Every structure is written in structure tokens, then in C-alpha cells.
Amino acid sequence: MGAVTTPKQDRSRATRQRLLASAVACLAEHGWAGSTVTVVAEHAGVSRGAAQHHFPTREDLFTGAVEYVAEERSAALRALPVQGRAAVIAALVDLYTGPLFRAALQLWVAASNEDQLRPRVTELEARVGRETHRIAVALLGADEERPGVRETVQGLLDMARGLGLANVLTDDRARRERVVAQWARLLDEALG
């Protein structure tokens, strides 16, 4: 028999989700330095105490937010309909050019300077990377038993991340579309 939730549990779950979504939005908009628990709580429309009830520390809140981002990213990838490689590549690149990636990027930068945050973000990003790679392999119909295919898919993901970084400062859409089209041709040749 499934668990029965009460209205209080539903409200708690909704508050948690609002805090996570707000943390992502604040990181993307204000960066690490401008994203405090208080700022996130205000953005979410909850008290600071409610925020700390769900996330006792700032690190808990923002690593929770990146995990939330990772789950959203994976769900978006898994929901992609089976389609041509060019569309899959474009969808993968889109993951790295939106606000979810911007938020994750801010957390990476903070983790590079904050010793207590670094191991949490490193472990989380390793897990996200593995999951994204698995999903990309499935969507691309790639056979990793063939020599070089694993590295080719990883190269695609690294390229997508690089395009996301290039997009942080300026809208790089026109160049990005040409690069994505070329990668689609290269992957068709490499993956068969």
C-alpha cells in the first residue's frame, strides 16, 4: 500500500520545492555572493526559519539546489522523444545554455574557493556527469563497445559545456547552431 500524505506534508514538500527553485534562480541571477539563505527565502516567499528548517546550512540549500537541477536536467533528457542525432545534440547543448547550467556554474565557482562545499559539489557533479553520459549514449544510439565511441560521446558533452560557458557572457546562438550542426555530422560519421 502506498504512503498517505497529509496536507501538512504536501505543504512542506511544496515549500521545499519552492526553496530549491528559488535557490537555482538566485544563483543564476545573483551568483554565489549575492545568494544568501535570506535572499532565497524572500524569493520563495517563506521565512528564513522555514528555509533553515528544510536546509540547515547554506551549503545544504545550494547543493540541494544543484541536485534538484541535476534531476530536472536528467528528467528533461529522459523525456526527449527518440529523434535524429542533430535534435538530440541540440537538446544536450540546450541543457548547458539555460538558467539551470548558470546556477550550477555559480556553485562550481564557489566550490573552487570553499573547502567545505567542494567535496559535496565534486561528488554531485561526478554523479550528474555519469547520468548525463548514460542518457546521451541511449539517446544517440551509441555503441560504446566500439573503440572511441565512449570518448566521442564524452567529447560531445564537454563541447556542450564549453558552449554553455561561452553563452554566459554573450548570446552565442548563431555560432552555437553552426557548431551543433557540424558535431551532428561528425557524430553520424563516428557512431555509424
Side-chain angles (χ1 to χ4, degrees), residues 15 100 175:
T15 298
L100 298 179
R175 184 180 73 85

Side-chain angles (χ1 to χ4, degrees), residues 77-166:
L77 279 176
R78 283 190 297 271
L80 283 175
V82 175
Q83 48 192 324
R85 284 192 177 128
V88 170
I89 293 166
L92 287 166
V93 169
D94 285 348
L95 288 176
Y96 292 99
T97 56
L100 298 179
F101 176 74
R102 290 176 84 91
L105 180 59
Q106 293 294 329
L107 197 61
W108 295 347
V109 171
S112 72
N113 296 311
E114 303 221 5
D115 291 338
Q116 66 189 86
L117 188 58
R118 185 178 304 120
R120 295 173 77 171
V121 173
T122 301
E123 185 276 326
L124 178 60
E125 283 303 318
R127 193 171 74 233
V128 168
R130 288 188 302 271
E131 175 71 5
T132 302
H133 186 95
R134 272 193 300 274
I135 293 170
V137 165
L139 289 171
L140 292 166
D143 178 5
E144 288 193 304
E145 297 296 317
R146 291 180 51 208
V149 169
R150 178 172 182 69
E151 293 78 10
T152 300
V153 172
Q154 191 57 52
L156 164 64
L157 295 174
D158 292 343
M159 181 270 306
R161 189 178 302 112
L163 290 173
L165 287 171

